[in-house]
Amino acid sequence: MENLYELAQTVLQAGEAADPSEAASERFTSVKLYGAAARENEAAAESDSSYHLENESGTGDIAIYRVFPGIELVYNDMHMAYCNKHQQPAPHVMEINYCKEGRCECLFRKRQYCYMSAGDLSFCSLHENAHQSEFPTSHYHGITVTIDFPAVTEEMKKVLALLDVDLVRIKALSQADEFTIIRANPTIEHIFSELYKVPAAIRRGYIRVKVLELLLILTELDPAEDPARRTYFPAAQIETFKQLHAFLVEHFHEHYTIDELSERFQLSSTVMKKCFHSVYGDSVYAYMKKYRLQIAERLLRESTLPIGEIAAQVGYLNPNKFTSAFCTAYGVPPTAYRKKV
């Protein structure tokens, strides 16, 4: 039997190896997922590399860790509506995503939409199909793990086999369906939430432990056991809701009832409530309340407008109700918040 220590050392050194003269897209499989919006930072504080993303829809930041040969992990911090609308197929690559905060919209073959919310896990193969991801609320924090199967070395495969990880089954699992979502559950939470709490000094080792744990879970996973794993929406229906959303944010200072919106967009109130919540994660009322308060928070930081005028601009005719709502959302009254920032 091979010396297991030497085998592990070979695997870990291979995982950390990189040629800095190579282009970023060649050094990191994950970078290709983010498209032209990604610009590599000159120096990464803790990760193997970090990138700033920017386009007309907003900005984002990612930090990439080369975990093992062929396996990478990315921390995503997105404040943009999308980062790559032209993702290309990536032969023999599996993409695994965990949503910590916000919403992620996945469009497949230009005809079906599926949505991830906080705590959800998804995976798919990029071998033949690429998918387009957007962030409906322009807010998304999460983790991406990519497995480039041909890049997984023979030594790494031996280590995984010793740990009962079945890489062949995981690859077949990713290709069995176009896209699979596992809804939030304690197992997913246990694996990923701790990756946001671990001290920097042990983060790299901890990431390796958690990725191995994830691979073990995938080895034994049966997606059919989760009947709520997918809810698809047709593209035409989602287009209507995007028009509805655009109308609401354009007229954020006004208040519309569900009946008024249903009539305007020719939707039943039941369909409107269900689909809007699936896409944006809240009811129309709750979503617009948050949106108005976000506008107010920005005005408090960036302007000298009186509190009463800010309240009126975001649709609160009663300043006291505005103060109460703002205090609930941000922990302090508007006046105290302005002083703090």
Side-chain angles (χ1 to χ4, degrees):
M1 179 179 288
E2 296 183 57
N3 184 304
L4 296 182
Y5 174 80
E6 291 180 357
L7 179 59
Q9 185 180 44
T10 299
V11 166
L12 295 180
Q13 288 176 343
E16 294 174 353
D19 182 353
S21 65
E22 287 185 311
S25 60
E26 298 302 321
R27 284 186 286 132
F28 299 102
T29 298
S30 305
V31 175
K32 299 174 184 178
L33 305 179
Y34 297 87
R39 295 289 182 272
E40 188 171 15
N41 294 325
E42 291 186 3
E46 300 165 2
S47 59
D48 291 310
S49 193
S50 64
Y51 294 77
H52 180 69
L53 285 67
E54 188 166 348
N55 58 33
E56 66 273 15
S57 75
T59 62
D61 292 282
I62 62 173
I64 302 178
Y65 289 83
R66 183 179 287 103
V67 186
F68 299 116
I71 303 175
E72 297 169 2
L73 181 143
V74 185
Y75 285 91
N76 300 282
D77 183 355
M78 303 297 185
H79 298 276
M80 57 204 312
Y82 69 90
C83 62
N84 183 11
K85 286 193 172 183
H86 305 286
Q87 184 176 320
Q88 299 299 311
H92 311 294
V93 173
M94 179 181 187
E95 180 183 351
I96 306 164
N97 286 295
Y98 166 74
C99 175
K100 180 177 182 288
E101 297 177 12
R103 311 285 293 173
C104 183
E105 169 192 283
C106 300
L107 171 61
F108 291 85
R109 297 180 182 176
K110 307 297 181 184
R111 69 174 188 269
Q112 287 185 317
Y113 287 84
C114 196
Y115 291 87
M116 291 179 65
S117 55
D120 291 348
L121 177 76
S122 73
F123 58 84
C124 63
S125 170
L126 304 180
H127 178 53
E128 295 181 351
N129 303 304
H131 65 268
Q132 179 179 315
S133 297
E134 298 189 12
F135 313 111
T137 60
S138 296
H139 175 78
Y140 175 80
H141 291 185
I143 289 172
T144 298
V145 176
T146 60
I147 305 175
D148 186 349
F149 291 100
V152 178
T153 63
E154 291 303 314
E155 291 82 4
M156 185 70 222
K157 291 176 183 176
K158 291 178 182 178
V159 170
L160 292 176
L162 285 170
L163 296 171
D164 296 321
V165 171
D166 189 339
L167 206 60
V168 174
R169 187 180 189 283
I170 291 173
K171 183 177 181 179
L173 185 70
S174 73
Q175 296 176 342
D177 209 343
E178 190 174 15
F179 182 76
T180 300
I181 287 183
I182 306 299
R183 296 301 180 187
N185 64 58
T187 300
I188 296 173
E189 179 72 9
H190 168 71
I191 294 174
F192 288 96
S193 64
E194 295 176 2
L195 287 171
Y196 283 91
K197 304 172 185 175
V198 61
I202 62 170
R203 180 170 289 130
R204 187 177 297 276
Y206 203 80
I207 286 173
R208 284 171 168 160
V209 170
K210 286 297 181 180
V211 167
L212 288 173
E213 188 175 356
L214 171 64
L215 295 177
L216 279 169
I217 296 299
L218 291 175
T219 293
E220 293 300 314
L221 182 67
D222 180 4
E225 293 179 354
D226 183 5
R229 64 190 186 278
R230 291 178 301 179
T231 302
Y232 285 133
F233 296 93
Q237 187 179 53
I238 294 302
E239 181 57 35
T240 299
F241 277 88
K242 289 186 176 183
Q243 294 173 9
L244 166 63
H245 179 265
F247 175 82
L248 288 171
V249 298
E250 182 181 354
H251 301 86
F252 68 88
H253 55 285
E254 301 177 31
H255 296 265
Y256 293 91
T257 67
I258 291 294
D259 289 340
E260 289 171 335
L261 293 171
S262 297
E263 183 177 354
R264 177 180 287 271
F265 289 92
Q266 298 297 296
L267 293 164
S268 75
S269 59
T270 301
V271 169
M272 171 173 288
K273 288 187 283 189
K274 179 181 178 181
C275 195
F276 191 93
H277 192 282
S278 295
V279 175
Y280 298 102
D282 272 314
S283 66
V284 173
Y285 172 80
Y287 182 87
M288 291 310 299
K289 182 177 181 180
K290 289 180 182 178
Y291 187 83
R292 293 184 184 101
L293 291 174
Q294 288 170 359
I295 298 293
E297 186 272 341
R298 180 174 59 80
L299 290 173
L300 286 168
R301 284 188 290 107
E302 299 177 359
S303 79
T304 58
L305 292 172
I307 303 299
E309 188 170 339
I310 291 176
Q313 281 199 21
V314 298
Y316 281 87
L317 300 180
N318 186 325
N320 290 332
K321 287 187 176 180
F322 168 70
T323 297
S324 176
F326 190 92
C327 191
T328 298
Y330 291 92
V332 293
T335 303
Y337 186 87
R338 173 172 270 171
K339 290 179 180 178
K340 184 174 68 172
V341 297

